[in-house]
Amino acid sequence: MLLLTKKYSPYFLFILSSFFMLSCVKDVDFDQAETLKIESVVDVSLLYFDLQASQVGFIPNNDVNPYSVQDTTKLEIFSKPFLEENLKEATFDFEFLNSIPRIFNAKIVLYDNAYNELDEIEILVDSPKITNTTSYNETEIQKIKNMAYMGIELMLMPGAPMLDPNSSGELLLKSSGTFFMSIDAD
């Protein structure tokens, strides 16, 4: 706690008042609030699965007949009007980790509310690690704004070795979306 004696009190008041009288004050332009623009980046996890080789091994003749897995996920984030108004760009990242000694073909499909196909991303999983980045710029962003569902169809390509219920290995998919937003004060 600062104690001021009567001897120092007038000096303190003089210094304090000098500070306030000599300090600079910049004019505030309140019209700047109308031109305010906030840009942000939002990362969201999208699709994830872990397919075991032993599950594929239950499919008869999996060395010649393609095995297909399909799944569709509703993406609630795209039903918000905020996204419709402010989304400028988007990027989807897909990573496949494959320790099953077979090749897979993955097809990621973007659907609207009525399950109409908006876009399709095809990825051949022919090595232990496959990454894919798909971007949507301002001219293509309407596809993303209209998206309500994301689906995946996974197909085991014909070949060897034949998988059985005792086969080891897995196919793992991790994916995310990065959304670039621009929020205007207008």
Side-chain angles (χ1 to χ4, degrees):
M1 183 173 161
L2 179 63
L3 296 175
L4 297 175
T5 63
K6 287 189 176 202
K7 181 177 175 185
Y8 296 108
S9 183
Y11 296 116
F12 176 73
L13 290 175
F14 174 74
I15 293 171
L16 185 62
S17 58
S18 297
F19 173 75
F20 284 121
M21 288 199 289
L22 298 175
S23 65
C24 297
V25 175
K26 185 177 178 184
D27 290 334
V28 177
D29 182 5
F30 289 104
D31 292 331
Q32 288 178 339
E34 294 176 10
T35 60
L36 177 68
K37 185 177 188 178
I38 300 171
E39 295 186 356
S40 67
V41 177
V42 178
D43 289 318
V44 177
S45 181
L46 296 172
L47 296 174
Y48 173 87
F49 71 75
D50 186 358
L51 178 66
Q52 300 296 313
S54 58
Q55 294 171 302
V56 179
F58 283 107
I59 305 301
N61 299 319
N62 65 50
D63 58 336
V64 291
N65 294 330
Y67 169 69
S68 182
V69 176
Q70 295 179 349
D71 190 25
T72 303
T73 302
K74 180 157 180 69
L75 301 172
E76 294 292 332
I77 187 173
F78 296 101
S79 63
K80 309 294 183 210
F82 176 79
L83 191 73
E84 172 71 31
E85 297 167 12
N86 300 300
L87 182 63
K88 300 301 177 202
E89 293 182 41
T91 300
F92 295 137
D93 292 305
F94 302 96
E95 180 182 71
F96 290 90
L97 301 174
N98 184 14
S99 61
I100 301 173
R102 294 288 295 274
I103 296 173
F104 291 85
N105 188 49
K107 183 168 64 170
I108 291 109
V109 184
L110 313 181
Y111 298 103
D112 65 10
N113 271 323
Y115 285 98
N116 296 311
E117 186 175 309
L118 301 170
D119 202 10
E120 182 179 294
I121 304 163
E122 198 157 333
I123 304 168
L124 185 64
V125 183
D126 59 354
S127 65
K129 182 176 181 180
I130 296 290
T131 57
N132 175 285
T133 299
T134 303
S135 297
Y136 295 86
N137 61 28
E138 287 189 43
T139 60
E140 303 166 316
I141 201 64
Q142 198 58 44
K143 292 177 186 177
I144 305 304
K145 289 180 179 182
N146 292 338
M147 184 172 63
Y149 299 93
M150 181 178 277
I152 183 163
E153 181 179 320
L154 187 64
M155 187 176 291
L156 176 66
M157 304 305 290
M162 176 82 156
L163 301 175
D164 62 45
N166 297 318
S167 295
S168 63
E170 65 184 349
L171 177 64
L172 176 70
L173 166 65
K174 298 185 283 184
S175 66
S176 65
T178 304
F179 304 101
F180 301 89
M181 313 290 281
S182 182
I183 305 161
D184 294 326
D186 297 344

